[in-house]
Amino acid sequence: MAILVDEPRWPKHGTTWAHLVSDESLDELHAFARRAGLPERGFDRDHYDVPAERIDALVALGAQAVPGRELVRRLLASGLRVRPRDR
């Protein structure tokens, strides 16, 4: 079980954004987000959107930096992925 963060690639609000997910459970993800001080409004069904400037701090707290494809693959394997058509 792991908390994963991909590379920031999505521009918005003057920064670029990454995704933070758990490959185990949403409870694990929410607990990590609380420890990291992420706002609840950043949660989007299966991930948190996180600004690029927070990634180093998330990794220091234990998140694993992975490529986007790896993040999606592991999220799918966990059964937690909410597909775009189901949003």
Side-chain angles (χ1 to χ4, degrees), residues 3-66:
I3 298 294
L4 311 169
V5 62
D6 63 1
E7 64 277 357
R9 297 185 344 180
W10 297 270
K12 194 165 190 176
H13 303 298
T15 190
T16 53
W17 297 79
H19 298 117
L20 182 76
V21 305
S22 168
D23 68 356
E24 178 68 23
S25 74
L26 291 178
D27 289 338
E28 177 187 44
L29 177 60
H30 291 304
F32 184 90
R34 280 190 300 275
R35 282 195 315 277
L38 297 177
E40 289 180 22
R41 72 180 179 275
F43 181 68
D44 185 15
R45 300 186 187 202
D46 60 6
H47 70 277
Y48 279 84
D49 292 318
V50 294
E53 59 270 13
R54 296 290 309 267
I55 292 176
D56 289 342
L58 296 172
V59 170
L61 285 173
Q64 296 175 16
V66 297

Side-chain angles (χ1 to χ4, degrees), residues 68-85:
R69 287 181 185 222
E70 174 74 6
L71 181 138
V72 171
R73 185 187 66 76
R74 290 176 62 181
L75 187 59
L76 282 167
S78 74
L80 298 173
R81 174 77 167 129
V82 176
R83 296 177 189 273
R85 68 175 179 250

